[in-house]
Amino acid sequence: MRRMTARPGNAHQARLLKLLRDGGPNSRAQLGDQVDLSRSKLAVEVDRLLETGLVVADGLAASRGGRRSHNIRLNPELRFLGVDIGATSVDVAVTNAELETLGHINHPMDVREGPVAVFEQVLAMAAKLRASGLAEGFDGAGIGVPGPVRFPEGIPVAPPIMPGWDGFPVREALSQELGCPVMVDNDVNLMAMGEQHAGVARTVPDFLCVKIGTGIGCGIVVGGEVYRGTTGSAGDIGHIQAVPDGRPCACGNRGCLEAHFSGAALARDALEAAQQGLSAELASRLETNGDLTAVDVAAAAAAGDATALELIREGGNRTGQVIAGLVSFFNPGLVVIGGGVTGLGHTLLAAIRTQVYRQSLPLATGNLPIVLGELGPAAGVIGAARLISDHLFSPA
Amino acid sequence: MRRMTARPGNAHQARLLKLLRDGGPNSRAQLGDQVDLSRSKLAVEVDRLLETGLVVADGLAASRGGRRSHNIRLNPELRFLGVDIGATSVDVAVTNAELETLGHINHPMDVREGPVAVFEQVLAMAAKLRASGLAEGFDGAGIGVPGPVRFPEGIPVAPPIMPGWDGFPVREALSQELGCPVMVDNDVNLMAMGEQHAGVARTVPDFLCVKIGTGIGCGIVVGGEVYRGTTGSAGDIGHIQAVPDGRPCACGNRGCLEAHFSGAALARDALEAAQQGLSAELASRLETNGDLTAVDVAAAAAAGDATALELIREGGNRTGQVIAGLVSFFNPGLVVIGGGVTGLGHTLLAAIRTQVYRQSLPLATGNLPIVLGELGPAAGVIGAARLISDHLFSPA
DNA sequence: GCGCCTTTGTCCTCTGAGTGGAAAAAGTAG
DNA sequence: CTACTTTTTCCACTCAGAGGACAAAGGCGC
């Protein structure tokens, strides 16, 4: 199949495409109920979309009491690629135009190996998905990277944990390799978009999405749109001071949140506890695996290990303290907690909630849900697909 | 003169009104250069505005090499009332439609006397301005109050320092009394709008405006628009924890920023220092006035008093620490410091800058100006006038 | 099977917004 | 006074979009 290159010709068409993406197949009449256009105008715009091939007719819809209508849907052959480059692994998924995940694979990989090695891996994974018959090609791709991005150009800027990526033209390079439009964003922003599109944040215009993985970041959504800040580094909360004169951090300061709680910090604390003989559970795991990660701490906590629980609780308290400040400042309608350490689950959530509800004013917390993300590792790739579809479904 | 009641009939007219407000009198041709409309269309819309009486013809403009053009300007008889209700005083100003301040008066008043008493005062001040010939009546009024506001209805909600105001229909009541449209907002948001309209933030789309007065608050501007949060309490940073297990605060927690630095905290610290004999300068002022306020501390600092300087420096450090966190999170293009304590001037600013530049990542601070507000006490009332003019100059 | 009603889709006309060119009006420069 | 600019008005033309009429297609009661 020849890949689609068309874009909506005006705002109405863009609106219709997004309705079909978010609501699935629809009849002309149902669309008409949602867009406040005259039937004639609607018919004209739908016909134009059919001509471009972006949408196709799809049989007859059920009768609503009169003549049955013809269904319209986004071209089922359209394919988006969602790529989520994490600090220690890469997720790649294929979706259709309705952003349903058709295939999703994960591969461990250290982002510090640099853009060339990582993209080789990404392209191999994309090829694998294509080979398995899920796609013949891609109409667009969204890429998430674990650091700040100059969004319009799709270029990472001064990413602390991605040496070698600074200034690398990710968007340009991947667009060339994949032969399709590409958009690049911070992985945390994509997680927020994922949860907004298909997760817990579907109906909330203003919310925060805190991702706790190797590092800590926060996606900020204002009025339904991701807010990226003046230089693209908004949401970089890992280096907010959580403990005055606390632990030294890689950034050069002391007491950063990330130095006290994150996947990396948790692993280090667990190792220390195991070596000091504070936890039999962790020590035995250390012996078995030769190393400890956040996953081991989660498992130990699930097994009732007091030391592991305490580590999680203390980390949750620190994180909750920082989030409490952000809640006072930003007054969100929802806080989503996600990322690798969500395996820590409700112990972590409870600690965070306690701090936030205690430290922020009632007006801001009164009706504020603090919840775990619904989509897990899929949030990033769904958000990536959403990013590129938002781009392609906007007037050129 | 009969007060204006017309509103722009469409987005083009609204655009033109705002251009005339922000750019002063303009010829049709100059307007045409800015709005990307055909000459014919522009002429039609200008004619309609002339019919409504919102704008008037205003003589001939200078020649640009050919036929001289007729100037168009906002009706010079239009008057807006800007009201800034602070914790301890009330500011009221009259502006023309171009938001130039024609008269500005201030009166000490404790907001805790309640809405009825305060509005009596406000109305008396408005009457005084009217009596002095500055206005025959008002076409709209903007009101700032020192607490969170449910913006669409113009009603304060759960304001901590304004007992008796909770749920009081400020917008409704004042609209009735003044006989013109009224909009109500948080005083900090209005300060931000004031600095955006006529102060240091004219060209910055995303910035923070920190107001340090009796309390501490922060106006948040995203994409040129004030962000108010889900329940209208965004920017309420006075109760972010600045000192773990620090001083008890009126809100019930400990270590809130406001408990450690604000006009009230500073006065209390100064009193303590004077009584303990730590500062001869402050002690003598205490004896003279019978009490100490932030103004005394500022004066003592200006006179070189070490204790006063230290108080300011320490407060600046605390504030800077909190702002550093907000800068990491929000990545603004500018931070404006304003409010009653700006008299503390550069000692305060230096302390804040030091903390922010030290604690936030270079990407966020690299090109981040941190400056004092330009407008002083006028920021609030100009912001208030701007608020109501934005409202009235939008399509009905 | 048959009429009657409802819903859907198409066609056609009408309106009003907006564009762009021509020309008139009002200047300046020499 | 003449040649050239700029501003303003006027007018014919285009085009998006609304809304009504009507045909097509189906459900439902009899």
Side-chain angles (χ1 to χ4, degrees), chain A residues 1-18:
Chain A
M1 163 195 181
R2 246 182 54 249
R3 289 292 109 200
M4 299 291 149
T5 54
R7 294 275 290 276
N10 61 39
H12 296 308
Q13 293 178 25
R15 179 86 199 284
L16 291 171
L17 288 174
K18 286 177 185 173

Side-chain angles (χ1 to χ4, degrees), chain B residues 191-214:
Chain B
M191 176 180 161
M193 292 182 80
E195 292 289 347
Q196 183 188 29
H197 179 81
V200 283
R202 256 176 300 240
T203 58
V204 190
D206 306 308
F207 69 94
L208 297 180
C209 188
V210 178
K211 182 174 183 180
I212 310 174
T214 304

Side-chain angles (χ1 to χ4, degrees), chain A:
Chain A
M1 163 195 181
R2 246 182 54 249
R3 289 292 109 200
M4 299 291 149
T5 54
R7 294 275 290 276
N10 61 39
H12 296 308
Q13 293 178 25
R15 179 86 199 284
L16 291 171
L17 288 174
K18 286 177 185 173
L19 279 173
L20 290 171
R21 176 190 68 188
D22 301 340
N26 255 293
S27 69
R28 281 174 165 83
Q30 282 174 306
L31 288 173
D33 295 343
Q34 300 173 68
V35 291
D36 196 39
L37 284 176
S38 67
R39 277 177 312 176
S40 11
K41 178 60 179 162
L42 180 71
V44 169
E45 298 298 356
V46 169
D47 284 346
R48 287 186 190 156
L49 285 175
L50 286 168
E51 270 175 39
T52 66
L54 283 171
V55 308
V56 297
D58 181 45
L60 290 169
S63 166
R64 292 201 290 181
R67 173 177 173 174
R68 295 173 65 191
S69 69
H70 293 264
N71 256 350
I72 302 295
R73 63 176 301 180
L74 288 168
N75 190 324
E77 299 187 358
L78 287 170
R79 290 292 179 273
F80 294 137
L81 189 69
V83 179
D84 187 0
I85 299 172
T88 58
S89 74
V90 176
D91 281 86
V92 176
V94 188
T95 76
N96 59 15
E98 283 150 11
L99 306 192
E100 292 164 341
T101 307
L102 305 179
H104 181 174
I105 51 183
N106 173 286
H107 195 86
M109 170 129 217
D110 192 328
V111 71
R112 284 172 299 186
E113 292 185 30
V116 177
V118 170
F119 288 152
E120 218 166 275
Q121 178 64 38
V122 167
L123 291 172
M125 291 166 82
K128 187 169 158 195
L129 287 165
R130 218 168 30 213
S132 66
L134 295 173
E136 296 175 25
F138 301 106
D139 301 281
I143 320 284
V145 296
V149 170
R150 206 154 66 220
F151 185 70
E153 298 94 351
I155 297 178
V157 275
I161 67 165
M162 303 161 66
W165 289 73
D166 191 11
F168 189 89
V170 174
R171 181 178 181 180
E172 177 76 21
L174 275 179
S175 179
Q176 202 102 106
E177 291 286 345
L178 290 167
C180 66
V182 169
M183 294 288 281
V184 184
D185 203 350
N186 186 312
D187 62 337
V188 186
N189 292 341
L190 293 190
M191 174 180 163
M193 291 181 80
E195 291 289 348
Q196 183 188 29
H197 180 81
V200 284
R202 258 177 299 241
T203 58
V204 190
D206 306 308
F207 69 94
L208 297 180
C209 188
V210 178
K211 182 174 183 180
I212 310 175
T214 304
I216 293 191
C218 177
I220 308 170
V221 177
V222 176
E225 300 277 313
V226 170
Y227 171 77
R228 300 187 171 84
T230 299
T231 55
S233 78
D236 205 343
I237 63 172
H239 299 278
I240 291 181
Q241 193 179 57
V243 182
D245 293 316
R247 292 191 192 149
C249 174
C251 75
N253 280 318
R254 304 182 74 87
C256 294
L257 176 57
E258 233 174 76
H260 286 264
F261 187 61
S262 63
L266 198 58
R268 194 196 46 209
D269 288 349
L271 188 64
E272 204 170 296
Q275 287 168 341
Q276 291 184 359
L278 295 174
S279 160
E281 183 77 29
L282 288 173
S284 91
R285 288 181 167 271
L286 174 57
E287 201 156 338
T288 316
N289 306 341
D291 199 4
L292 286 175
T293 70
V295 176
D296 295 303
V297 181
D305 181 80
T307 307
L309 283 170
E310 184 52 31
L311 284 178
I312 297 172
R313 214 171 288 129
E314 180 157 336
N317 281 341
R318 304 264 187 240
T319 312
Q321 231 167 323
V322 170
I323 295 180
L326 302 183
V327 165
S328 293
F329 172 73
F330 186 71
N331 187 17
L334 170 70
V335 175
V336 182
I337 311 285
V341 301
T342 41
L344 308 177
H346 287 275
T347 310
L348 175 67
L349 196 59
I352 292 177
R353 280 179 173 156
T354 305
Q355 290 297 321
V356 174
Y357 290 138
R358 200 175 64 185
Q359 286 196 19
S360 295
L361 293 180
L363 182 57
T365 57
N367 199 9
L368 174 68
I370 303 177
V371 299
L372 293 177
E374 234 173 48
L375 304 177
V381 289
I382 292 178
R386 164 81 190 228
L387 175 69
I388 188 64
S389 86
D390 270 351
H391 175 70
L392 294 177
F393 291 172
S394 296

Side-chain angles (χ1 to χ4, degrees), chain B residues 12 38-41 45 60 63 65-67:
Chain B
H12 297 307
S38 67
R39 293 182 310 272
S40 0
K41 179 61 179 163
E45 297 299 355
L60 291 168
S63 166
R67 172 174 173 176

